[in-house]
């Protein structure tokens, strides 16, 4: 699940954790991270949400030039 930390993605992740996820390892969640002061709060929001709902959160760095993607 792409977890932004907002209500919608957090709800979807919580349902996934309870209804669908199987296994002993924490379920995974992901968010895109740009290392810039304007986006640090978004990354913190996603990481905090993942801790609250119990996921193994991974950041997908997107620090390259826009044209590279």
């Amino acid at each position: 699940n792409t977890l932004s930390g907002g209500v919608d993605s957090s709800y979807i992740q919580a349902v996934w954790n309870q209804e669908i996820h199987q296994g002993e390892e924490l379920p995974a969640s992901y968010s895109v991270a740009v290392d810039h002061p304007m986006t640090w709060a978004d990354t913190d929001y996603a990481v905090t949400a993942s801790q609250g709902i119990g996921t193994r959160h991974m950041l997908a760095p997107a620090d390259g030039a826009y044209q590279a993607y």
Side-chain angles (χ1 to χ4, degrees), residues 27-48:
S29 62
Y30 306 87
S31 64
V32 174
V34 177
D35 189 13
H36 188 276
M38 295 286 293
T39 62
W40 290 343
D42 295 330
T43 298
D44 290 344
Y45 197 46
V47 169
T48 301

Side-chain angles (χ1 to χ4, degrees), residues 1-34:
N1 182 39
T2 303
L3 179 63
S4 68
V7 172
D8 51 352
S9 66
S10 296
Y11 176 77
I12 291 168
Q13 185 69 52
V15 169
W16 172 265
N17 290 359
Q18 290 183 351
E19 302 297 327
I20 300 170
H21 176 72
Q22 301 291 320
E24 295 181 22
E25 189 173 278
L26 289 176
S29 62
Y30 306 87
S31 64
V32 174
V34 177

